[in-house]
Amino acid sequence: MQPLEITAGTAISAMGRGVDATLDALRTRRSGLRPTDFGGIAEGHIGRVDGVEAHALPAALAKYDCRNNRLADMALNTDGFSSAVAEARAHYGADRVAVVLGTSTSGILSGEDAYRDRDPDTGRLPAGFDHEHTQDLFSLARYVRAVLDLRGPAFVVSTACASASKSFIDAHHLIEAGVCDAAVVGGADSLCRMTMRGFAALELISPSPCRPCDAARTGISIGEAAGFALLERSGARPAGSQSGIRASMLGHGASSDGHHMSSPHPRGEGAILAMRQALARAGLEPGAIDYINLHGTGTRANDAMEDVAVTELFGAATDCSSTKGWTGHTLGASGILETMIAALCITHGFKPGCLGVSQVDPAFRSKVLFDNLEGPVHRVMSNSFGFGGINCSLIFGPAA
Amino acid sequence: MMRVFVSGVSVWGPGLAGWEMARTVLRGAQPWTEEETMPPAPSILAANERRRTSPVVRLALAVAQEATAMSGHEPASLHSVFGSSNGDGVVVNDILQALAEPGRDVSPTQFHNSVHNAAAGYWTIGAGTRQPASCLGCHDATMGLSLLKAAAEVHVEQVSVLLCVYDRPLPEPMAEKRPTTSAFACALVLTPEQEPGSIASLAVRYRPDLADPALEAPRREALQALYVGNAAARALRLLESLATQRPDRIELSCLDQSIEIIVTPCSTAPAS
């Protein structure tokens, strides 16, 4: 494929607000996880973003107010992202900039609160609960499109934990088909009781901060994140003002396991296919990848499957790690957060080793890093897998 | 402008129980009766998986299976785009109820079935496919945007794509906030080239102006309430055009803009 440029990018997570804070946390190996203090739940650890409760949306868009859109709005106002989009809008026209965003749960926390506040006599939800502009999936894309004053096509893609990664692929299709010239991609997933209690019901929440790839790993920590990238054709307009991250998307692959709703294919056949396609589309051999940012959730099954899949294609030759020890698993937003991490690795020449690992699983055959490594990084593969058996693999390189 | 071909089609809704029956109604050869019937169990799934599927998944799989069978394409060969505004409202409602009541646990099975891509997940399991699935949620604009996304994928990847758009009514108390009057689903198999069985070509484009309501609503007066009451039923005018083999221009509203579909039947036989 013709590479697409990421001409602006930002992310916020438990590591901090924006790419500089993210870089600092990665370099100093400072985790953002804390004991769970959210939604009346005390199990495990979470990657919570500070300041969401105090953040206000613009008054004209107050009907969209919910935790997820606040998190998204905070990200839009970080690293100059909104200004970068305004430059693209001025160049291409508002009709020609799409908004393609991923989320798994959108503003469902508002729905959870509304169910708690039902009228005890009638069972009705509170009059003030605006389902369409908060809990509904489309709310995120509508809000972002409205606040950025765009008029291109906008949709939400919701493929569980692969949502934000899938948004890059779906936006590539729109740009390549000529439906738009640029796209705001990424997404947001915010803390809510549904995912925290749901993953607890599946017995996948780690009592200690998650330790992806560790021999004694005991599950995930849930985090929240929002992030965005501005995607456009290479050289289509003069470079705008520097905003956050610059990089390019060289390839992508998506596949289905067709195996099980919540368990990955044990031999990672779907994951292998997604990675293989991403390499083929980028025109690269496995040896051209310098670092793989794993999905690496910290569950027994995911990490073991991903090790098998990575080893199948890369042997033990390619450095890989998961960064979820810093942020927790940010679910549908993990794809955009980890894209920003991939771009930071390329721009600043380092690879983050898994956090909190005392012993890499001895069954693993891939080359898992557990300390940071300094040195040039040209190309990074970033994996995301989700319930329903969906796999996405993206490849990033330096800005053209 | 993206041009794709329709090689399979299906619909399931009140009085529209599968394409063969719906076709006669959509052509006006039979009157429409507002009778809801349950879609057939998804034979594509093994018995143990079938038991786990909810009504909304069965609805989506019924049309996905029928359209695929008509197209003559192997289910495992198709990319897919699934679109739904409401997702699985019954499962989400049960979880929200559980979360509101102290001491109640969330069911692990319900949790993994609550993801918006559950229907797509069951489809890929049933079809035994490794092909990618996209899953969109776009409120009232779901049909138009899912079609736009599917057409772009057909056009760029030069592959055949199953498009499946479905919605069922939400249970109370959420139903009051998001009324949906009946279950409705449709599916199209879209191909990059004309095939012997192609029904029509669709030229799809995003238009920078609001849709004309007269070009969005179904032509048959009797179907107006169905069209208004379910986001997936925005497909009705397109389905009418496919059933009558009549050229048509359709505009689906999409926030403040629209998605235009120009339908050109492949058959030269006169509409009956």
Side-chain angles (χ1 to χ4, degrees), chain A residues 115 124 166 173 197 256, chain B residues 93 104 131 134 149 176:
Chain A
Y115 269 63
R124 293 173 67 185
K166 195 71 172 63
H173 288 149
R197 296 270 304 275
S256 300
Chain B
N93 178 64
R104 263 190 70 188
Q131 302 292 357
S134 290
K149 159 64 202 157
E176 186 189 13

Side-chain angles (χ1 to χ4, degrees), chain A residues 243-254:
Chain A
S243 165
I245 277 300
R246 298 182 79 93
S248 58
M249 178 167 78
L250 306 176
H252 60 74

Side-chain angles (χ1 to χ4, degrees), chain A residues 95 104 108 111-112 115-116 118 123-132 135-138 141-142 145 150-160 166 169-174 176-177 179 193-199 201-202 252 254-262 265 269-270 273 277 281 386-390, chain B residues 1-2 49 52 84-86 92-93 95-101 103-109 111-122 124-126 128-141 145 148-149 151-153 155-157 170-174 176-178 206 208-209 254-257:
Chain A
D95 297 343
S104 66
I108 201 163
E112 294 171 8
Y115 269 63
R116 293 179 164 222
R118 288 170 67 173
R124 293 173 67 185
L125 296 169
F129 169 57
D130 184 342
H131 171 267
E132 178 179 345
Q135 181 183 331
D136 186 78
L137 282 175
F138 201 24
R142 290 172 76 173
R145 184 180 188 265
L150 298 173
R151 289 168 54 82
F155 62 80
V156 158
V157 53
S158 189
T159 47
K166 195 71 172 63
I169 302 175
D170 290 346
H172 171 248
H173 288 149
L174 293 187
E176 191 72 20
V179 175
R193 300 175 190 95
M194 178 157 119
T195 47
M196 294 169 71
R197 296 270 304 275
F199 279 107
L202 288 166
H252 60 74
S255 72
S256 300
D257 279 350
H259 169 71
H260 190 269
M261 281 303 288
S262 56
H265 189 284
E269 288 177 9
L273 184 61
Q277 286 184 357
R281 212 178 291 263
F387 279 178
I390 181 142
Chain B
M1 178 84 77
M2 301 177 291
E49 294 287 355
R52 295 187 192 132
S84 179
S85 171
N86 295 345
V92 172
N93 178 64
I95 293 173
L96 290 174
Q97 302 264 17
L99 292 172
E101 291 169 28
R104 263 190 70 188
D105 289 328
V106 172
S107 147
T109 304
F111 178 60
H112 77 226
N113 280 334
S114 73
V115 295
H116 195 67
N117 57 320
Y122 282 108
T124 60
I125 292 168
T129 185
R130 294 270 152 76
Q131 302 292 357
S134 290
C135 302
L136 275 61
C138 307
H139 203 253
D140 284 342
L145 289 163
L148 184 77
K149 159 64 202 157
E153 189 159 345
H155 185 78
V156 172
E157 304 285 350
L170 295 172
E172 290 294 353
M174 200 63 88
E176 186 189 13
K177 299 289 183 181
R178 173 61 170 159
Y206 184 73
D209 45 27
C254 165
L255 299 176
D256 49 6
Q257 312 238 322

Side-chain angles (χ1 to χ4, degrees), chain B residues 21-47:
Chain B
M21 183 248 191
R23 227 174 125 208
T24 60
V25 174
L26 294 169
R27 287 199 320 225
Q30 290 282 331
W32 179 70
T33 53
E34 191 174 359
E35 189 194 341
E36 291 226 35
T37 45
M38 287 297 288
S43 58
I44 197 167
L45 287 174

